[in-house]
Amino acid sequence: MPCVVALVVAAGRGERLSLERPKQYLRLGQCMLLAHSLRRFTEHPCIDHVQVVIDPSDAALYEEAAQGFDLLPSVTGGTTRQGSVSAGLEALTHFQPDLVLIHDAARPFVSSGLIDRVLDGLAQTEGCIPVLPITDTLKRLSVEQTVSSGPDRNGLVAAQTPQGFHFASILNAHRSCENASFTDDAAVAEAAGLPVTAVAGDPDNFKITSMDDMTRAETMTLPRMETRTGFGFDVHRFAPGDSVTLCGCSIPHNARLSGYSDADVGLHALTDALLGALGEGDIGTHFPPGDPQWGNAASHIFLEEAHRRVKQRGGRLINIDLTLICEAPKIGPYRSQMISRLARILELPEARVSIKATTTEKLGFTGRGEGIAAQAIATLTLPEIS
Ligand code: MG
């Protein structure tokens, strides 16, 4: 197996996105932008070592970005990109690696497959770079903002990194053109007469140069979401009394609902629907009946706790649908009051809250007026479980 080193160039000032720090040290998702490419190279089975070129004034930021990675000691870059790559290559001479992959720190999404393609290409030639086709027509823009025809895009491609080379060849190429100013290493190689071939690049391996790029990158670091549903069912019997509590609303009736808490069947069924969508047990698991703190409790606290668990998991409730099953009391007159109560408890727009009511045609325990039943479904999004 050849010895392969990834040389990550992170010495640029790149202060267009932030005056506070160069872009490679801006936060992207859970870590700094630079750390994304460091992870991808250190985790790749064919990469033996990772060497980063930095500006010494960023030493403290670099320490933070590099935390937890097994890297070669950082190297001080030059005033140009080419100078920084040269410094990195010179620092690797004592290693004498067989192959080197030179990568811009501003491309955080280099994939394992792309690294494989470049390495495969190096089995055939001295240099291999990833490229993308150019699909837009190219134009020339004058300082007066006048547009004129540009070069024909046929035969033109856009170069990405990592650019791979046989180490000794690219080291010599850099040494032979010290005073030139090339913007990538394929140009250095070409100037030295090295053959460079191309493999397919990756649109996700884009370079972050603008705020729009940063926004796109942030979206790509968000967890993938999955949609989940949960179902809940509850029944409470009637007992002597003069009102029932349904969906947090007190409704006059010739009986009350009996239960350890306020016996709000609607909120109980909804609580179980949310817990069911989370796969986190049921209302009895979290609020055991008989526990003195829940005696006569207002049931919105159960539903609020289930909703808090949704948010704690990084999820978002999409909608709920509840059916109350009883002959009496009539639900219709209280429906809009219940909807606005549920919308407030669950921080949902009212359009995402549905309450329906039905009888059982005088059949069964609800038909005989012995109690009220409720069924509920909740739909939510949660970060994908792998
Ligand atoms: Mg109950």
Side-chain angles (χ1 to χ4, degrees):
M1 290 291 282
C3 175
V4 184
V5 174
L7 179 61
V8 179
V9 191
R13 304 316 299 147
E15 283 164 341
R16 210 171 109 198
L17 291 185
S18 159
L19 292 175
E20 187 209 331
R21 55 177 67 180
K23 62 187 172 189
Q24 58 271 32
Y25 299 109
L26 290 176
R27 186 147 293 275
L28 174 59
Q30 303 295 313
C31 55
M32 284 183 184
L33 201 156
L34 170 62
H36 287 266
S37 24
L38 296 184
R39 178 176 315 110
R40 282 154 191 259
F41 282 112
T42 52
E43 284 180 356
H44 194 285
C46 297
I47 307 289
D48 298 290
H49 303 284
V50 177
Q51 162 87 76
V52 188
V53 184
I54 66 165
D55 184 307
S57 63
D58 300 331
L61 290 168
Y62 174 70
E63 281 306 310
E64 194 185 332
Q67 212 166 35
F69 294 112
D70 185 12
L71 308 169
L72 296 175
S74 65
V75 174
T76 296
T79 51
T80 62
R81 184 187 181 284
Q82 192 183 330
S84 293
V85 174
S86 289
L89 293 171
E90 293 294 345
L92 289 171
T93 48
H94 68 281
F95 253 116
Q96 289 297 320
D98 300 299
L99 305 174
V100 61
L101 300 183
I102 304 170
H103 186 65
D104 288 333
R107 294 183 191 269
F109 301 116
V110 54
S111 70
S112 163
L114 180 62
I115 294 170
D116 287 338
R117 290 199 289 280
V118 173
L119 288 174
D120 286 348
L122 290 178
Q124 319 295 329
T125 55
E126 293 293 312
C128 178
I129 69 169
V131 300
L132 282 182
I134 294 170
T135 51
D136 296 328
T137 297
L138 297 172
K139 296 289 183 193
R140 262 180 239 289
L141 189 62
S142 73
V143 284
E144 295 85 21
Q145 299 293 297
T146 313
V147 171
S148 59
S149 294
D152 183 355
R153 70 168 187 243
N154 280 327
L156 289 183
V157 287
Q160 297 189 322
T161 72
Q163 300 192 342
F165 303 93
H166 288 241
F167 176 74
S169 308
I170 194 69
L171 176 66
N172 287 333
H174 268 270
R175 283 175 176 172
S176 69
C177 60
E178 263 172 36
N179 297 319
S181 181
F182 294 113
T183 53
D184 79 346
D185 302 287
V188 174
E190 183 189 343
L194 293 178
V196 178
T197 56
V199 290
D202 179 355
D204 284 345
N205 182 36
F206 62 96
K207 186 173 183 175
I208 292 182
T209 56
S210 67
M211 229 34 238
D212 283 347
D213 297 330
M214 200 65 190
T215 306
R216 179 180 169 197
E218 273 160 6
T219 307
M220 288 173 65
T221 61
L222 293 176
R224 289 164 59 96
M225 303 296 277
E226 61 187 17
T227 306
R228 312 199 33 170
T229 57
F231 179 76
F233 176 72
D234 196 29
V235 171
H236 280 268
R237 68 169 66 237
F238 285 128
D242 57 12
S243 68
V244 295
T245 302
L246 286 175
C247 297
C249 303
S250 180
I251 298 173
H253 190 48
N254 58 11
R256 66 178 172 88
L257 286 172
S258 145
Y260 193 69
S261 63
D262 65 4
D264 189 328
V265 277
L267 295 190
H268 293 185
L270 279 168
T271 303
D272 268 356
L274 263 64
L275 292 173
L278 291 172
E280 291 192 22
D282 62 20
I283 192 167
T285 322
H286 298 277
F287 307 99
D291 185 333
Q293 60 176 317
W294 312 127
N296 291 319
S299 295
H300 66 87
I301 59 175
F302 307 146
L303 187 54
E304 280 161 356
E305 168 61 13
H307 187 218
R308 188 192 65 76
R309 287 171 178 271
V310 173
K311 291 188 282 186
Q312 186 185 41
R313 294 258 300 264
R316 185 172 68 84
L317 189 58
I318 297 174
N319 77 302
I320 54 163
D321 183 20
L322 173 72
T323 300
L324 296 167
I325 306 163
C326 58
E327 301 294 327
K330 289 277 171 252
I331 302 301
Y334 301 94
R335 189 200 309 263
S336 63
Q337 189 189 337
M338 290 180 182
I339 287 177
S340 73
R341 180 83 176 107
L342 286 183
R344 247 178 297 133
I345 292 173
L346 293 170
E347 301 166 314
L348 278 179
E350 292 189 7
R352 292 172 185 264
V353 176
S354 160
I355 297 179
K356 310 193 298 299
T358 186
T359 70
T360 49
E361 300 278 328
K362 301 234 176 336
L363 298 170
F365 70 88
T366 51
R368 292 188 297 273
E370 293 169 5
I372 300 181
Q375 296 181 336
I377 279 196
T379 305
L380 46 88
T381 58
L382 271 193
E384 203 170 83
I385 297 168
S386 50

